[in-house]
Amino acid sequence: MSTIDRTPAHATNGNGKPYKVIGTRPIRHDGVDKVTGRAKYGADIHLSGLIYGVVLRSPHAHAKIRSIDVSQALALPGVRAVVTHKDLREPGDRIVELGEGAVNLRHLSNNILAADKVLYKGHAVAAVAADSVHIAEQAAGLIKVDYETLPAVIDVEAAMKPSAPLLHADLFTDELGQKAKAPSNVAKHFRFEKGDIAKGFAQAKVVIEREFRTATVHQGYIEPHNATAMWNADGYITVWTSTQGSFTVRQQVAELVNAPISHVKVIPMEIGGGFGGKIRVYLEPVAAILSKRTGKPVKVLMSRADVFEGTGPTPASYIRVKLGVGSDGKITAAETYMAYEAGAYPGSPIGAGAMCIFACYDIPNGRIDGYDVVVNKPQTSAYRAPGATNAAFALETVVDEACEQLKIDPLEFRLKNGVKEGSRRVDGPVFPRIGMMETVEAVKKSEHWNTPLTGKHRGRGVASGFWFNCGLKSSASATVNPDGTVALVEGSTDIGGSRTGIAMQLAETLGIAATDVVPTVGDTDSVGYTDVTGGSRVTFATGYAAYEAARDIQRQMVERAARIWEVDAAKVSYENGGVTGPDGKRFSFKELAEQINKTGEPIVGRGTVDPEGCGGAFATHVVDVEVDPETGKVDIIRYTAAQDVGTAIHPSYVEGQIQGGTVQGIGWGLNEEYFYDAAGTMRNSTFLDYRIPTCYDLPMIDTLVVEVPNPGHPYGVRGVGEVPIVPPPAALANAIYRAVGVRMKQLPMSPPNVLKEILRKGASK
Amino acid sequence: MRDFEYEAPASVAEAVKILSRHNGSARPLAGGTDLIDQIRTGRHAPQVVVDIKKIPELSVLELTAGGLRLGAAVPCYRMYGDPRISAAYAALADSARIIGGIQIQSRASVGGNLCNSGPAADSTPSLIALGAVAVIAGPAGQREVAVENFCTGPGKNVLAPGEFLVELKLPPRLPHSGSHYRRFIPRNEMDIAVVGVAASVVLDGSGEKFVSARVALGAVGPTPLFANEVGKLLAGQPVNEQTIAKAADAARAIARPIDDMRGTKEFRLHVTGVLTRRVIEESVQRARS
């Protein structure tokens, strides 16, 4: 069943569903702390005896480190320690799974403090701990690094050429499973195939082939990276940091500083945004070894420039797409060549991008070639539906052009070709029950779509997008308090209001109010293993764990009531927020909670899950723009995002995720880019010149919340956080085309880039 | 960031004395919105920061028949917060309204914007278009410099060691005159000019002929540029599309932009023409109303 919910009063539980809590909009549990400034973020931790660390970064995009002389820095009064790569453990070429992507530990270690080579401007080389941050900064300036500079390559196409400067002498292309003989910047080439593309293109009436280029962009979280560590004399290490995954930080720190995981305790602070960029560690091991050397707690913070130049952007890419469509408007074949920049070490999200590019459409014959390419830029990290936005920009623009040539309405094209339950992706998997078509239907019925757009230089564009979502491991425990409330401890650091979404699923299961659950995000010693807050998994998987914890409480409460009533537990059941026994016996949850400590052992529920069936997410967006034909500036007049969310647990947070993701996609589409000079130095590592949209650049992002419940979750939840970033650049490009007649094949579609196309078109007339 | 001393003199003479004593290693502080950030990022490492806000002359904001006296430390919000000033010196109010957000406008001064001498400063083209003169105090007494001659390069100006800006003097508004400043930015707010254009025009009584005009360009050269030829070209000409188009072409010929992360040379040249036309048109509208 699909429903559309646009107004707060029209919550899902008003739609005939049996929910009391799910679909309502309670005030978030962390709301007061956050609006009053009382919430503690990473930089807010203060400890007695705290000293400060500063990281020295490479001024060169590519250079050998001949030597590092720290003597002058160490001699400065107030300096306590200087560390370099030698102070980290050499972990070898082992691969560890971080939850949303794997990492080679040697690469990770070299990224944290460079060993013999710096591979990008901003690459960390050494770190200083001193009594004040100012002394530490001054000391960092006294470290003498002798570099032998090397030619840099900062562009994916250039890096793939045989003549390109090599980043790693020991990197040999994995060419369709075979290891190449000579080293190269291409880490990997893989291919997915389905059907017979030659036959498919031969059947097409229209075949369109286009090239696309997208720029490097950053996640742009407001809170810079931070880490505070105390390496105790007994060998136990405590790390305070804002992260998307306390347990992955524990694992990475343990591996990199050579400590057992049981000796590392990670205390997650509130987090000011991550979007995938706060999974990999940067500062945590540095703070830990500085603390080990000094015996004091050490805090290390990044500046905004450090964040841009030293932490995970998402890749620039080159994508070629060829699409064949028959005279009946059905896709006959599709082919793509996709090369993504990995940054300094292998591991771009090319795999995900390749699996997403054709995922919205039922494609009988397809081929996908993917390339993972190293360049002299910071190592890329996950960013909200990693790899999918680049891919959708290319494919959805070509789809739009095919619609134009065949004179098919873009929504009708999607209804004709869109995927549904049973469709097989080019890379193999068959879709379970999904809601792609429902998002198209929602747009088709929307007031926005049915209101004609008038005015000069205005255009309307449509695009769709897909993201897998994921399950992974989560834990929760819940203690029943005598006053009838429940203290919930869960392991997912809360980025988008998830602790409330999780608490609501516990409350729903127990039949109590959301406000009667007090959720806490536990540290690594106080909650069971929980994977990262990523992959749009938290409300799905950690919510599932909370559901299981609630079921566990139900069982214990049934047993307790049976004991109190002296009846067989089989005759007692949990229903309607309480227990019911024979002969009209009844305890409400609160009544029984009050009895617990008087009648036996405490009641603590536990839930641990590793669920399959996360259910994919689809979105279809429509945008109206107005373009200034004299300057190339694009103004967004109206935006509507339709998305299948499974079940909206807390509709406000679902809408917030859709709006936030859309806005990031708009920024990526219109103005965001790493701007490099010829030497490979980023010239715009500030929020002044790296332009994320401000509230003045955006209309209200209207949301169409479509609910196609996910059969893989007790409440039908699907992840919602990532897919909304996928369609915006393509939707904007299609709208710009309709406004001023130019097809943008390059991101960002900034005024200079758009004006260039407008002037070129004018000149060719 | 290095430690520095702080001084807050109460008179122009005392400030000159402190600045002279430190011979270039002291920097005046008004709103501090540029200076503090530059100290933090290591672009400047002054021994002494001289807070000039306690000097009465630096906070003067006086509109008389003789024109406008604008103390060098007067924050931006006071321009657009005063209806008489924003009517008479509309271009300057336009600039003050878009320098940073409200917090910045409450601290940052037009004088500081000029002394920071950035090529993309939003208020400097307006000062030039409005014919402002900088009053400078120093060990040798006071001197006056037309604002178009104040900046000498990116971050550089005519101030010698020991000197500082005391106030800006703007001539009175003439009848049938209007002014406007507009910049091009990729976003709608909170951004730095890719191109900025200010114009001040004087029309005849009919409103159909330019008597005189001054145009200035920002972010298209090492300093804000006074486009004197544009004004000369407009003077005596009828107000029509062709005249304004010629003026836009002339402005483009004066601009000498570079390629950087904010825009290409070609883009800036093109937009200089577009903005010059739009800014003159708006100035004419204002002169007529």
Side-chain angles (χ1 to χ4, degrees):
Chain A
M1 183 184 104
S2 85
T3 55
I4 298 170
D5 166 17
R6 290 198 65 186
T7 58
H10 187 59
T12 47
N13 58 341
N15 284 346
K17 291 201 192 127
Y19 302 138
K20 290 198 174 89
V21 177
I22 290 172
T24 64
R25 301 172 189 248
I27 288 173
R28 61 195 290 165
H29 298 84
D30 51 334
V32 169
D33 277 356
K34 285 188 174 161
V35 300
T36 56
R38 207 171 287 135
K40 295 280 183 219
Y41 290 84
D44 295 331
I45 186 82
H46 292 288
L47 302 164
S48 45
L50 187 67
I51 62 171
Y52 302 86
V54 162
V55 174
L56 176 70
R57 294 174 184 278
S58 167
H60 306 297
H62 196 190
K64 273 189 191 143
I65 299 174
R66 287 205 196 99
S67 64
I68 303 176
D69 177 1
V70 302
S71 54
Q72 282 187 50
L74 276 173
L76 188 73
V79 172
R80 302 267 180 164
V82 180
V83 294
T84 65
H85 184 264
K86 287 201 285 283
D87 298 278
L88 289 171
R89 171 203 205 180
E90 180 50 70
D93 272 312
R94 283 183 300 132
I95 308 292
V96 287
E97 190 55 52
L98 298 188
E100 203 183 25
V103 67
N104 174 314
L105 280 175
R106 187 168 56 88
H107 293 158
L108 181 64
S109 166
N110 277 279
N111 195 40
I112 282 156
L113 287 170
D116 51 348
K117 242 183 143 188
V118 287
L119 296 170
Y120 53 94
K121 157 88 163 65
H123 197 158
V125 173
V128 183
D131 291 349
S132 84
V133 71
H134 303 303
I135 297 170
E137 275 172 5
Q138 203 185 335
L142 294 172
I143 297 172
K144 298 275 177 287
V145 185
D146 183 13
Y147 293 105
E148 177 189 334
T149 57
L150 301 167
V153 59
I154 53 165
D155 169 79
V156 64
E157 291 166 83
M160 291 178 84
K161 292 193 176 127
S163 58
L166 283 180
L167 273 77
H168 304 278
D170 59 349
L171 182 63
F172 299 87
T173 308
D174 174 350
E175 170 65 36
L176 302 176
Q178 302 289 315
K179 201 165 190 184
K181 297 226 161 36
S184 150
N185 291 324
V186 180
K188 193 174 192 173
H189 168 212
F190 61 87
R191 175 176 293 166
F192 299 122
E193 279 182 296
K194 179 186 171 189
D196 179 343
I197 53 167
K199 201 178 103 203
F201 283 120
Q203 291 165 349
K205 184 186 178 203
V206 167
V207 176
I208 299 167
E209 184 168 11
R210 299 283 178 261
E211 293 179 299
F212 298 87
R213 291 173 178 87
T214 72
T216 301
V217 300
H218 198 273
Q219 293 82 348
Y221 27 82
I222 295 304
E223 182 201 28
H225 292 263
N226 54 80
T228 303
M230 176 64 211
W231 193 309
N232 213 39
D234 59 7
Y236 281 82
I237 305 161
T238 306
V239 177
W240 294 261
T241 187
S242 54
T243 172
Q244 289 178 243
S246 321
F247 287 88
T248 188
V249 170
R250 180 179 76 169
Q251 183 188 357
Q252 293 176 76
V253 169
E255 295 276 8
L256 293 167
V257 307
N258 199 15
I261 54 166
S262 58
H263 284 203
V264 181
K265 173 177 173 175
V266 177
I267 300 179
M269 308 298 288
E270 294 292 354
I271 176 168
F275 313 112
K278 287 184 182 159
I279 296 174
R280 189 195 303 285
V281 296
Y282 297 96
L283 300 175
E284 293 86 343
V286 175
I289 57 175
L290 286 171
S291 177
K292 186 184 188 184
R293 290 280 294 275
T294 58
K296 289 180 169 294
V298 179
K299 185 198 276 193
V300 193
L301 306 176
M302 285 197 195
S303 68
R304 181 58 56 186
D306 294 340
V307 171
F308 276 120
E309 295 181 1
T311 73
T314 204
S317 56
Y318 166 81
I319 302 174
R320 194 168 63 233
V321 171
K322 186 176 172 186
L323 186 73
V325 185
S327 50
D328 59 351
K330 296 274 276 187
I331 297 173
T332 59
E335 186 184 6
T336 183
Y337 172 106
M338 310 171 74
Y340 279 29
E341 290 178 2
Y345 302 97
S348 76
I350 179 65
M355 291 186 273
C356 285
I357 188 161
F358 295 142
C360 290
Y361 302 99
D362 202 344
I363 290 174
N365 306 291
R367 178 188 286 171
I368 300 165
D369 279 290
Y371 296 83
D372 185 35
V373 184
V374 295
V375 294
N376 292 112
K377 289 182 180 177
Q379 178 167 30
T380 56
S381 277
Y383 178 24
R384 215 165 188 159
T389 304
N390 315 44
F393 170 60
L395 191 263
E396 292 290 291
T397 305
V398 173
V399 162
D400 202 61
E401 206 173 329
C403 291
E404 186 200 4
Q405 289 195 17
L406 289 162
K407 299 189 170 55
I408 304 175
D409 173 89
L411 295 183
E412 294 307 323
F413 182 88
R414 284 165 176 80
L415 292 174
K416 208 181 272 265
N417 290 285
V419 283
K420 36 190 181 293
E421 186 171 0
S423 303
R424 181 181 285 281
R425 298 206 310 249
V426 171
D427 56 302
V430 175
F431 280 115
R433 180 75 177 95
I434 45 168
M436 165 71 189
M437 296 303 202
E438 286 80 355
T439 66
V440 178
E441 293 284 4
V443 169
K444 198 176 161 186
K445 281 188 286 189
S446 68
E447 195 253 326
H448 182 172
W449 186 254
N450 290 294
T451 305
L453 179 63
T454 55
K456 271 180 91 177
H457 309 306
R458 291 182 169 192
R460 175 171 292 168
V462 177
S464 298
F466 165 72
W467 183 249
F468 316 91
N469 299 334
C470 70
L472 301 178
K473 299 175 219 314
S474 281
S475 303
S477 65
T479 303
V480 180
N481 293 318
D483 63 356
T485 63
V486 178
L488 168 68
V489 182
E490 45 95 357
S492 290
T493 55
D494 180 355
I495 297 190
S498 59
R499 83 192 80 190
T500 295
I502 294 160
M504 287 171 73
Q505 295 179 60
L506 182 102
E508 182 71 49
T509 312
L510 292 176
I512 62 177
T515 45
D516 283 339
V517 181
V518 183
T520 301
V521 179
D523 63 56
T524 52
D525 282 355
S526 58
V527 65
Y529 181 85
T530 299
D531 274 310
V532 296
T533 297
S536 302
R537 61 173 290 277
V538 169
T539 307
F540 169 75
T542 311
Y544 207 145
Y547 165 82
E548 291 293 353
R551 300 278 291 172
D552 194 16
I553 289 173
Q554 286 185 357
R555 281 189 289 275
Q556 295 175 54
M557 290 189 93
V558 162
E559 192 187 283
R560 182 63 53 90
R563 200 190 299 169
I564 293 168
W565 290 328
E566 297 179 338
V567 300
D568 184 352
K571 294 194 170 125
V572 181
S573 61
Y574 195 98
E575 57 193 42
N576 297 324
V579 284
T580 304
D583 312 322
K585 288 189 172 64
R586 170 83 185 163
F587 279 129
S588 70
F589 185 87
K590 273 197 194 316
E591 287 163 353
L592 185 53
E594 202 265 329
Q595 297 285 321
I596 288 172
N597 288 349
K598 298 172 187 161
T599 55
E601 69 281 11
I603 290 182
V604 180
R606 61 179 279 279
T608 58
V609 299
D610 187 7
E612 301 285 319
C614 57
F618 288 86
T620 299
H621 291 190
V622 52
V623 59
D624 296 347
V625 302
E626 181 172 320
V627 182
D628 182 340
E630 291 187 317
T631 64
K633 185 163 179 280
V634 176
D635 277 310
I636 300 173
I637 305 164
R638 188 167 184 188
Y639 203 109
T640 301
Q643 185 174 322
D644 170 25
V645 307
T647 299
I649 299 295
H650 192 306
S652 298
Y653 302 160
V654 168
E655 290 155 5
Q657 288 292 326
I658 295 173
Q659 291 164 334
T662 300
V663 168
Q664 286 191 309
I666 289 170
W668 192 339
L670 292 185
N671 279 306
E672 294 183 37
E673 68 177 313
Y674 273 43
F675 189 93
Y676 282 92
D677 64 17
T681 297
M682 184 186 183
R683 300 308 304 240
N684 60 334
S685 55
T686 69
F687 272 144
L688 177 61
D689 283 312
Y690 182 91
R691 295 185 171 84
I692 63 174
T694 75
C695 58
Y696 298 104
D697 304 307
L698 299 161
M700 182 66 185
I701 308 294
D702 290 319
T703 58
L704 300 174
V705 175
V706 177
E707 297 189 297
V708 180
N710 173 17
H713 184 278
Y715 294 121
V717 170
R718 287 178 202 274
V720 299
E722 287 170 291
V723 76
I725 198 175
V726 180
L732 287 165
N734 296 338
I736 290 168
Y737 174 72
R738 284 180 174 69
V740 286
V742 296
R743 284 268 176 216
M744 296 303 298
K745 301 189 190 74
Q746 178 190 358
L747 293 184
M749 298 177 286
S750 58
N753 289 343
V754 174
L755 183 69
K756 200 158 115 188
E757 294 304 319
I758 292 171
L759 295 178
R760 183 181 291 164
K761 178 175 164 259
S764 69
K765 258 186 192 162
Chain B
M1 187 167 99
R2 254 178 33 190
D3 289 353
F4 53 80
E5 299 297 317
Y6 171 87
E7 301 249 23
S11 71
V12 169
E14 201 187 331
V16 167
K17 211 183 283 171
I18 295 166
L19 289 167
S20 304
R21 193 164 64 227
H22 293 279
N23 191 32
S25 67
R27 291 198 79 93
L29 168 100
T33 56
D34 282 317
L35 182 64
I36 297 298
D37 212 37
Q38 289 163 357
I39 294 174
R40 205 176 49 78
T41 60
R43 191 168 142 197
H44 293 305
Q47 302 286 337
V48 187
V49 163
V50 183
D51 187 345
I52 51 173
K53 288 192 291 295
K54 305 236 162 37
I55 306 169
E57 290 93 319
L58 276 284
S59 293
V60 163
L61 182 65
E62 199 177 273
L63 183 63
T64 64
L68 180 69
R69 283 183 65 204
L70 168 59
V74 173
C76 285
Y77 80 93
R78 290 184 64 192
M79 310 292 104
Y80 62 78
D82 185 323
R84 291 181 316 149
I85 294 173
S86 36
Y89 302 94
L92 190 58
D94 293 337
S95 299
R97 248 182 231 111
I98 56 174
I99 292 174
I102 286 173
Q103 293 96 326
I104 296 290
Q105 290 162 11
S106 304
R107 298 287 300 177
S109 63
V110 169
N113 198 216
L114 179 61
C115 292
N116 187 55
S117 301
D122 279 313
S123 62
T124 308
S126 297
L127 291 174
I128 295 172
L130 293 166
V133 170
V135 179
I136 296 165
Q142 292 209 339
R143 62 182 178 123
E144 295 192 354
V145 175
V147 169
E148 56 263 37
N149 299 323
F150 188 88
C151 299
T152 54
K156 296 198 177 93
N157 56 47
V158 298
L159 291 175
E163 285 191 323
F164 72 107
L165 180 71
V166 176
E167 67 175 58
L168 294 153
K169 293 199 302 194
L170 283 80
R173 182 191 185 183
L174 297 170
H176 314 297
S177 71
S179 66
H180 181 39
Y181 172 77
R182 187 180 291 193
R183 65 181 178 188
F184 179 80
I185 52 174
R187 292 184 292 200
N188 290 326
E189 272 292 344
M190 309 299 283
D191 217 324
I192 187 162
V194 178
V195 178
V197 178
S200 168
V201 304
V202 184
L203 307 182
D204 68 2
S206 72
E208 295 302 329
K209 199 163 135 189
F210 291 104
V211 173
S212 66
R214 286 173 68 90
V215 173
L217 313 174
V220 290
T223 65
L225 301 173
F226 175 38
N228 197 13
E229 293 79 356
V230 179
K232 282 193 202 152
L233 204 141
L234 289 170
Q237 297 299 309
V239 179
N240 60 33
E241 224 173 272
Q242 292 88 332
T243 307
I244 295 174
K246 270 187 209 156
D249 285 342
R252 249 198 321 258
I254 290 163
R256 33 198 171 101
I258 53 165
D259 281 328
D260 68 8
M261 70 269 191
R262 293 170 190 150
T264 58
K265 191 176 159 188
E266 292 70 33
F267 179 75
R268 284 184 156 127
L269 283 175
H270 180 89
V271 173
T272 299
V274 172
L275 282 196
T276 301
R277 191 192 77 227
R278 291 180 183 178
V279 167
I280 292 172
E281 284 169 355
E282 176 65 22
S283 301
V284 166
Q285 284 308 313
R286 288 177 178 180
R288 285 171 175 168
S289 61

